[in-house]
Amino acid sequence: DLALWGINSIKSFASVAAVDQAWSDESESRVFKFTTEAILQHMKRLDMDFAVSGGSNVSGEPIPVAAKAKAYGPGIMRGFSEFNVCPETNSGIELLLRGRSKALSEAARLKIDEFVYWPYDEGGCACDKCSPWGGRGYLKMARRMSEMNGKVHPGARHVVSTWLFDDDDWKGLYRY
């Protein structure tokens, strides 16, 4: 139905989401992979593109205390969970890049047409080096992730979302 309305790309996960890795087992991962491939094959028959997350600052692995992202203040509408990592710490960026590499390895067999980067749903860090997240930390992290993604899927498009950007985020994006 979506293809008939002119929408020719569907975004899905190519591997188990980082926030789900903490409580999913191997059998659930196999079912996820089987289902994803079935959806992808059907999408391709409909001449639709396959879009996936380009990478974020969440990790399903244990996060060292020094690498944990700083939470936003009360009343600020931003996604945040116990899985958020600060990409401005050495152990944090290593953890995120290792997770991205694993996700790309698991999805290497898939034909990914588009990587989409989202700033705030399940991401962000309010530390001095990352803030404002949408106009600073997120952009630097998305660039690192897009370089990795492009090596595995060189023809893919990269889409940067500005979901929930505020004035400081927009100013940072323009400066960047």
Side-chain angles (χ1 to χ4, degrees):
D1 289 349
L2 291 173
L4 295 174
W5 286 97
I7 298 172
N8 62 357
S9 181
I10 291 182
K11 184 178 177 293
S12 181
F13 288 98
S15 60
V16 177
V19 297
D20 294 328
Q21 289 174 12
W23 50 78
S24 62
D25 62 23
E26 188 57 38
S27 67
E28 290 172 320
S29 295
R30 280 194 304 274
V31 169
F32 178 87
K33 289 175 188 176
F34 175 81
T35 304
T36 299
E37 290 200 24
I39 291 169
L40 176 58
Q41 289 173 11
H42 189 68
M43 287 170 48
K44 294 299 179 183
R45 283 193 298 271
L46 296 173
D47 197 27
M48 298 180 81
D49 288 343
F50 184 50
V52 299
S53 171
S56 67
N57 76 313
V58 296
S59 175
E61 295 181 35
I63 303 169
V65 173
K68 287 201 175 268
K70 181 179 177 192
Y72 303 103
I76 298 176
M77 188 177 142
R78 298 288 191 256
F80 198 82
S81 71
E82 63 188 86
F83 302 100
N84 292 73
V85 177
C86 176
E88 288 295 328
T89 63
N90 288 334
S91 57
I93 194 63
E94 288 172 14
L95 181 64
L96 293 172
L97 294 177
R98 186 171 59 246
R100 190 71 201 149
S101 180
K102 179 182 174 190
L104 286 169
S105 176
E106 290 175 0
R109 70 199 180 289
L110 304 176
K111 165 70 171 84
I112 297 173
D113 302 294
E114 194 171 281
F115 290 96
V116 183
Y117 307 87
W118 285 84
Y120 285 116
D121 266 6
E122 188 63 60
C125 178
C127 80
D128 292 340
K129 291 182 179 178
C130 289
S131 187
W133 177 251
R136 195 178 202 182
Y138 159 68
L139 297 172
K140 291 192 283 185
M141 189 204 57
R143 176 174 288 272
R144 298 270 311 258
M145 298 291 179
S146 69
E147 290 168 358
M148 288 181 74
N149 295 334
K151 288 178 182 173
V152 178
H153 298 277
R157 294 177 300 278
H158 299 268
V159 178
V160 178
S161 170
T162 56
W163 173 254
L164 283 178
F165 266 34
D166 61 21
D167 288 344
D168 289 337
D169 293 320
W170 286 111
K171 289 174 188 172
L173 175 64
Y174 294 135
R175 275 193 306 272
Y176 188 78

